[in-house]
Amino acid sequence: MSQPTTSTSGSSLVTAAKSGALSTTQGVTTIADPVVSKIAGIATREVSGVHAVGGGAARALGNLRERIPGSSKNVSQGISVEVGETQAAIDIDLVAEYGVSIADLAASVRRNIISSVERMTGLQVTEVNIAVNDVHLPEDDADDADTAAVARQTRVQ
């Protein structure tokens, strides 16, 4: 990474550039809540042991939305953020895979989100609150496949 150069306008610009500050003598950078939401959502899904992000209602709505032609996946589903000038706080609802240590999963998700958000935005993440709403069982996938097969059979009679 290149080091910022010192200018005659003072060392505050250099210090700000080194620390990744969003406010310098040359201008201010603001980051919208949806930006941080998307980064946190992607970072959450990258962690092994996370089955899904969002509560039951949010996941059901997300599944409905994805079935609409031309729509895209909502990566910020289940994520709520509060973004200030220099800090961000993040809340996450997720479903864990059965057999995964929830404490270890939460620590991994928290670490990955903090790393990703701070690296990409320059914001300091003050807290990441994680709510585990459900545990996904392997049998759940089999039940979904059976339901889909029955629906296909009844539809083509």
Side-chain angles (χ1 to χ4, degrees):
M1 182 154 70
S2 65
Q3 294 293 325
T5 57
T6 306
S7 67
T8 56
S9 63
S11 64
S12 63
L13 176 61
V14 174
T15 306
K18 281 183 183 176
S19 66
L22 297 171
S23 179
T24 68
T25 57
Q26 294 178 324
V28 176
T29 302
T30 58
I31 298 174
D33 291 5
V35 173
V36 175
S37 254
K38 284 183 180 183
I39 294 168
I42 292 168
T44 300
R45 287 172 176 81
E46 290 175 345
V47 176
S48 178
V50 173
H51 175 71
V53 180
R59 286 195 324 272
L61 261 150
N63 286 337
L64 254 168
R65 184 184 9 234
E66 287 174 14
R67 292 182 183 180
I68 298 171
S71 68
S72 60
K73 185 173 184 170
N74 181 7
V75 294
S76 58
Q77 165 185 301
I79 312 284
S80 64
V81 300
E82 221 178 297
V83 178
E85 290 180 24
T86 60
Q87 297 178 330
I90 303 167
D91 298 323
I92 300 165
D93 293 327
L94 62 84
V95 177
E97 291 287 348
Y98 176 77
V100 173
S101 164
I102 293 176
D104 292 344
L105 178 64
S108 295
V109 167
R110 192 171 282 114
R111 188 173 38 251
N112 202 38
I113 288 173
I114 290 170
S115 170
S116 296
V117 170
E118 287 184 351
R119 178 178 47 81
M120 293 180 72
T121 65
L123 293 168
Q124 175 193 16
V125 178
T126 58
E127 62 182 32
V128 177
N129 300 310
I130 300 171
V132 179
N133 294 325
D134 199 1
V135 174
H136 177 261
L137 303 173
E139 303 88 56
D140 293 346
D141 290 336
D143 291 343
D144 291 345
D146 292 343
T147 303
V150 168
R152 278 193 302 270
Q153 288 173 355
T154 59
R155 193 176 124 197
V156 290
Q157 289 182 6

